[in-house]
Amino acid sequence: MGDATGANDPVVEAVFDAVAGIAPEIRDALPGRRVESGTENPSGETVLAGDMYADELLADALTAIDGVGAFVSEERPEATDAGEGYSVAIDPLDGSSNLRSNNTMGTVIGVYDAPLPAPGRDLVAAGYTLYGPITTMVVADESGVREEVVERDPNATGEDGPEGASRSVVDEDLTLPDEPTVYGFGGRIPDWPDAFLEYAREVESELKLRYGGSMVGDVNQVVTYGGVFAYPTLVDDPEGKLRLSFEGNPIAYVIERMGGASSDGSGSILDIEPDGLHDRVPLYVGNEALIDRLEAALDDE
Ligand code: P6P
């Protein structure tokens, strides 16, 4: 295992090097992989060819890293053994349903110093790549949070794997803006419990709607402009839609490292003791005051 803080940990650096190195290859492959693969993932969702391609590239690169002991993916029922070391949890292509509409998506990464399933407190680093007009990567560890621009190395031949891209830090101390500006709430309004609907109505009267259907894209709005993102508990699905290991924990880690807050409606996402690898969780992240109001609103229910 590394020094269990993630800060300047060579294994953590190698993980994010690998994800950055693969990003241009994933992005270049998307135009030809907008079709359904004909399979479902362990969460029962339709898997696109893009999801499978990203999963395979990331599995090959990450399991080859000395110090990575397990590769765990939203697209795979079980962990893939890679020897001794950190467990790396991946959502290979979060928001892949945006492929057809040509909107944002990305890869979510969680580096746990424990076998999975594990609570988010066992994370030593987390982050995400975002395929927008440019490719960016947000990296959070014990030293803080930074934003990087990822570009294909002009001399890369495409076979270079993790060496195939350059990482340029554009903000070495990413913190949540003090003044919230935007919100994004997932699910359908008729499916929201009354207490969340009431909270949403208040927030809608204060902030601007930014919801694009991919968690990484919508969370990055909050990271950039301040505010709140939620995929809430639903009347018929109290656990909501997002997966704890691959989406909730990594994003909660990033936002809390930036000075924000996360919640499942009653407390930090990172404190949840999971039962299974693919557990779902209601996810609320953003400025602390907005999360405090959310918890008070749901507590009144
Ligand atoms: P809905 C994408 O499929 C995803 O897992 C997240 O990236 C996103 O936040 C959510 O689902 C969108 O769900 O119900 O708004 O389509």
Side-chain angles (χ1 to χ4, degrees), residues 28-43:
D28 291 352
L30 293 179
R33 287 177 172 82
R34 303 170 80 179
V35 295
E36 294 184 2
S37 65
T39 62
E40 284 191 348
N41 67 16
S43 299

Side-chain angles (χ1 to χ4, degrees), residues 74-97:
E74 184 179 282
E75 309 306 344
R76 300 180 182 216
E78 305 296 333
T80 301
D81 180 51
E84 292 299 312
Y86 292 136
S87 299
V88 179
I90 293 281
D91 180 354
L93 203 56
D94 173 70
S96 57
S97 55

